[in-house]
Amino acid sequence: MPQWMRKQLQRAFNGKDIRQIRLLNSCWFLYWEKHGGRPE
């Protein structure tokens, strides 16, 4: 996971920002699939 995304997720979790957590989670899965990830 890119460093910038880790920082954003950490900030969202610390602030309990559910909307931001969901958005970043969706972005992460999209990024992961496009860079060789395999959904199980």
Side-chain angles (χ1 to χ4, degrees):
M1 181 180 293
Q3 185 64 30
W4 63 268
M5 189 170 283
R6 277 188 225 147
K7 287 181 180 180
Q8 290 288 324
L9 271 170
Q10 191 64 48
R11 207 171 296 147
F13 272 107
N14 288 341
K16 295 180 175 35
D17 185 349
I18 300 298
R19 189 180 63 82
Q20 184 75 0
I21 293 168
R22 287 184 180 148
L23 176 67
L24 289 166
N25 192 47
S26 296
C27 291
W28 167 242
F29 279 108
L30 182 64
Y31 175 90
W32 183 72
E33 286 176 351
K34 288 187 180 270
H35 288 87
R38 303 265 188 280
E40 310 241 353

